[in-house]
Amino acid sequence: MNPQHALDTCAPRSGSVPLDIRNSLKTGARLFAAALTASVLAACGSGEEKQVSVEATDTACTVSPNKASAGTRVTFTVKNTGTKPVDFALVAADGDTVVEEQGIAQGASEETVQSQLNDGGTYTATCTPRGESPIRTEFTVTK
């Protein structure tokens, strides 16, 4: 039997789809859209956001708080209270730079690009005053 013919036998002769079938199709489309949205949100992480303050001096790199949950979108705000411009970076255990802000002037505060940290583990936050060795501290992402 032709599938179109099967539909025609269920539909009124006017050629329109019966109301109960249309409502079922709309409900199915809504359920599909809701499931798709939930899948996308799950893939993107928890949707949580966290503000992390970083104070960079000529001799220290203080990160507070120094941990976040996996899937959290983190905004690092770096304040340079030292006497030299400073570079800030967050580096994953595999060596990939996740966040980077260069040339933060003394006395300035910079909000870095937000980063969604999906992988748990220990990251290294690095403050490097111009012409000096990097100052490192740990930042932990828990699963």
Side-chain angles (χ1 to χ4, degrees):
M1 175 181 243
N2 179 342
Q4 182 60 43
H5 180 65
L7 280 176
D8 289 342
T9 60
C10 295
R13 292 286 171 217
S14 67
S16 66
V17 178
L19 184 60
D20 59 335
I21 292 176
R22 278 188 286 174
N23 287 341
S24 293
L25 291 172
K26 286 181 184 177
T27 300
R30 287 184 186 122
L31 289 173
F32 175 76
L36 181 62
T37 301
S39 296
V40 168
L41 290 175
C44 292
S46 67
E48 293 179 42
E49 293 190 15
K50 184 170 219 141
Q51 296 281 41
V52 175
S53 298
V54 179
E55 184 176 0
T57 69
D58 294 340
T59 58
C61 185
T62 307
V63 179
S64 179
N66 66 347
K67 61 178 73 174
S69 299
T72 301
R73 190 166 175 83
V74 180
T75 300
F76 292 89
T77 302
V78 183
K79 184 174 184 181
N80 180 0
T81 58
T83 61
K84 302 174 181 179
V86 69
D87 298 337
F88 172 76
L90 185 70
V91 181
D94 64 4
D96 285 344
T97 300
V98 179
V99 174
E100 185 173 36
E101 188 70 42
Q102 295 183 348
I104 303 167
Q106 52 273 40
S109 234
E110 292 289 333
E111 187 172 287
T112 66
V113 176
Q114 294 182 346
S115 180
Q116 182 130 355
L117 303 174
N118 291 322
D119 297 326
T122 302
Y123 291 70
T124 302
T126 305
C127 300
T128 308
R130 194 68 40 87
E132 303 292 334
S133 297
I135 302 164
R136 296 178 177 90
T137 190
E138 288 186 359
F139 184 83
T140 305
V141 176
T142 57
K143 287 213 175 212

